[in-house]
Amino acid sequence: MSSIRQVQVTFDCAEPERVARFWCEVLGYVIPPPPAGFATWDAFNDSQPPQDRGSWFACGDPSGAGPRLYFQRVPEGKVAKNRVHLDVRVGTGLVGAERLATLQAECARLVALGAVCVRVLTADEDNESCILMHDVEGNEFCLD
C-alpha cells in the first residue's frame, strides 16, 4: 500500500470564489491558471452550464508545501460548529506579550478582509495565547 503524498482541504460554502480569495489573502496562496483553452476564469465559467457556473474554486500554496484548498458550492448553509478547522500559525516560537501582539496584529488584518474575531484566549499555565475567528462565511479557524 502506498502512502498519501498530498492532502486537499475542502470547504463547503455558498460563494466559492469569494471564500477562496479570502483564504489566499490569509495564507499567501495563489489562484491557479484557468483550465487549458481559457484565457481567464471568467471565460471558463461562461462556458459552463448555468447551474455549474461558480460552483467551485481552488487555490494553492505557491511553494507547493501546503495543501491545496478547494471550495465547493453547497445548497445548505453552515448550521453547527466545524468538526475540523485550520490553525493559522502566525505566533510559532513566540511567547507572552510578543505572541499576543503578533496574533492581534494578524487578527486586525484579517478582520479588515471580512473575518470576525470571536474570542481572544490569553495564555495560562498550560497554553499560549490564541484567537478564535470566523472566515467570511462563518467557518471557524484559529490564529495560533
Side-chain angles (χ1 to χ4, degrees), residues 132-144:
L132 307 177
M133 300 193 72
H134 287 167
D135 74 8
V136 295
E137 282 202 6
N139 299 300
E140 295 91 4
F141 69 98
C142 292
L143 292 180
D144 177 28

Side-chain angles (χ1 to χ4, degrees), residues 89-103 122-124 126-130 144:
R89 311 234 30 228
V90 297
T92 302
L94 302 176
V95 296
E98 182 182 16
R99 178 185 174 90
L100 185 57
T102 298
L103 296 176
T122 54
D124 59 26
D126 299 317
N127 300 295
E128 275 297 335
S129 297
C130 69
D144 177 28

Side-chain angles (χ1 to χ4, degrees), residues 38-63:
F38 296 95
T40 66
W41 278 103
D42 286 339
F44 171 77
N45 269 323
D46 290 344
S47 76
Q48 301 299 300
Q51 69 275 10
D52 293 340
R53 292 180 187 154
S55 65
W56 64 272
F57 215 77
C59 60
D61 180 350
S63 74

Side-chain angles (χ1 to χ4, degrees), residues 11 19 29 32 59 64 69 76 98 100 104 114 119 126 130 143:
F11 289 72
V19 182
Y29 271 34
C59 60
L69 301 182
E76 68 278 358
E98 182 182 16
L100 185 57
Q104 289 174 323
R119 184 172 34 166
D126 299 317
C130 69
L143 292 180

Side-chain angles (χ1 to χ4, degrees), residues 59-111:
C59 60
D61 180 350
S63 74
R68 178 179 191 247
L69 301 182
Y70 182 81
F71 304 85
Q72 62 187 4
R73 185 175 58 219
V74 296
E76 68 278 358
K78 183 178 173 316
V79 294
K81 184 180 184 307
N82 298 1
R83 298 275 316 251
V84 174
H85 67 267
L86 299 182
D87 284 346
V88 179
R89 311 234 30 228
V90 297
T92 302
L94 302 176
V95 296
E98 182 182 16
R99 178 185 174 90
L100 185 57
T102 298
L103 296 176
Q104 289 174 323
E106 183 66 0
C107 178
R109 183 180 83 85
L110 300 183
V111 165

